[in-house]
Amino acid sequence: MRPRVSFLLLALSLFALGAVLSLPRPGKEEAVRPVRAGALPEMGVVVAARDIDYCGYHTPCGPGSRTDTIFYLRLKGQEAKGVAIPRDLYSPVVGGKVNAAYGRGGAELLKRAVAEATGMVAERHLILTLESVARVVDAVGGVEVYLERPMRYTDRAAKLFIDFPAGRLHLNGEEAVKYMRFRHDALGDYARLDRIKEVVVQVLRKAQDPRTWPALVLALREAWAELDTDLSLEEVLGYLPALRGLKVSLATLPTREGPGTFLYVDEEARARFLAAFFGASPPAAPPEAPVVLRGEGALLRWGQALLEKEGVRPVLEEAEVAKSAVYTQDPLAGLYYAELFHLPLLAPHRPLAGVLVELGKDLLQ
């Protein structure tokens, strides 16, 4: 299984890298030199992306009032842990679906709705537009994805045309946004959130490389005016270098189906999952969970040797991998193997038995 992609880390890139915009414009010979202020501060940030409003056929009016992509991101030290909130989740404080919160009460109501859903404090907010996301993806050189089957969808009224072949693909910013908006498969919105997580991780990892910063600064100078945020550029400037070596974990809030098209928070599952996801430390010994190791050639053999040193005998799958990561719905097992391989942890919604470790050629870069 290949869980798919998240505006979350795109958002994190904007959050930290946007601080550079507060610097005086450098001269031609002067480089941007952020000042390191230490690890990231502890805070809960609601990161969301606004949809597009249309005035008529093929006539976009600009960013809409719905936020179909919503994440709760917890920053602390050298860790960023995020939980995706499904757009169809019923929110009592909103009196409807959580994706309507921003349109009804702005960022403050959205923060209240996210805090209600997660049971965690949401201090700050960062609301993106699709155009700003595309600019950031282009600034880091695009992203790579792997499709097991073609991805096709046409909405002529919205002028949205998605037509990607199966296989390994390199996507630019506009294409990546289409990839993240697609929800017309068996798992619908849940699969869309998985795709967003995948893209976000790639953008964040590329943003850790100082060589990408000049292009990102130029992109963000254009994009920052489109954002709705209570994070000042000066406030986050000193934490740009903290992106380097950042440990990233992304999951989806446990929910259950309800009447009509609503989803509801699964209270018992939420308490159990979030306590382990946000509060636990990596186990000292390998958890008892089956492990599948996927990759090619020397990378697969290296991963196998590393696991066998830990007393783990994985199931090996020789296959092409677009980007390396650890996938599991078991938070403790995920923490252990993400720490062992120094890889991002992604918890997909699609059922996944045990742990899947994917090793791609990006590890050699």
Side-chain angles (χ1 to χ4, degrees), residues 107-272:
E108 291 306 313
L109 182 59
L110 179 58
K111 285 192 286 189
R112 287 173 57 197
V114 171
E116 174 187 63
T118 61
M120 304 188 72
V121 177
E123 296 102 335
R124 315 301 289 273
H125 69 270
L126 177 61
I127 314 299
L128 311 172
T129 64
L130 300 183
E131 291 80 5
S132 64
V133 170
R135 288 193 185 103
V136 171
V137 173
D138 282 333
V140 299
V143 297
E144 290 191 0
V145 301
Y146 185 92
L147 293 178
E148 296 178 347
R149 58 184 63 85
M151 178 182 287
R152 297 190 177 97
Y153 174 73
T154 297
D155 184 342
R156 297 188 183 278
K159 210 172 181 179
L160 175 62
F161 304 97
I162 300 174
D163 187 5
F164 297 133
R168 187 187 183 100
L169 305 174
H170 182 87
L171 306 180
N172 63 24
E174 181 181 357
E175 292 167 337
V177 168
K178 291 181 179 180
Y179 177 75
M180 290 185 281
R181 292 180 69 186
F182 183 83
R183 60 170 62 94
H184 299 275
D185 52 18
L187 288 175
D189 196 53
Y190 287 114
R192 180 183 68 93
L193 292 176
D194 284 346
R195 283 190 287 273
I196 292 173
K197 296 172 197 171
E198 180 186 349
V199 168
V200 161
V201 166
Q202 288 191 50
V203 170
L204 184 63
R205 294 190 73 175
K206 290 189 173 186
Q208 294 177 6
D209 185 346
R211 292 174 296 181
T212 67
W213 293 354
L216 280 164
V217 170
L218 292 176
L220 290 169
R221 283 198 176 114
E222 298 178 355
W224 199 258
E226 303 171 0
L227 309 183
D228 177 358
T229 180
D230 58 357
L231 294 161
S232 72
L233 301 181
E234 296 83 0
E235 180 182 6
V236 299
L237 174 61
Y239 298 103
L240 176 58
L243 283 177
R244 306 191 73 181
L246 191 68
K247 298 176 183 178
V248 180
S249 304
L250 299 177
T252 300
L253 186 71
T255 57
R256 56 179 176 82
E257 294 184 356
T261 60
F262 288 110
L263 296 174
Y264 292 84
V265 173
D266 187 327
E267 301 284 353
E268 182 178 346
R270 179 189 70 176
R272 183 174 60 253

Side-chain angles (χ1 to χ4, degrees), residues 9-20:
L9 293 168
L10 292 175
L12 183 57
S13 300
L14 286 168
F15 163 62
L17 290 164
V20 177

Side-chain angles (χ1 to χ4, degrees), residues 168 205 211 296-300 302-303 321-324 343 359-365:
R168 187 187 183 100
R205 294 190 73 175
R211 292 174 296 181
E296 294 181 274
L299 281 172
L300 194 63
W302 169 78
V321 171
K323 289 295 175 180
S324 307
L343 290 177
L359 304 178
K361 294 179 181 178
D362 55 306
L363 291 177
L364 305 177
Q365 298 173 355

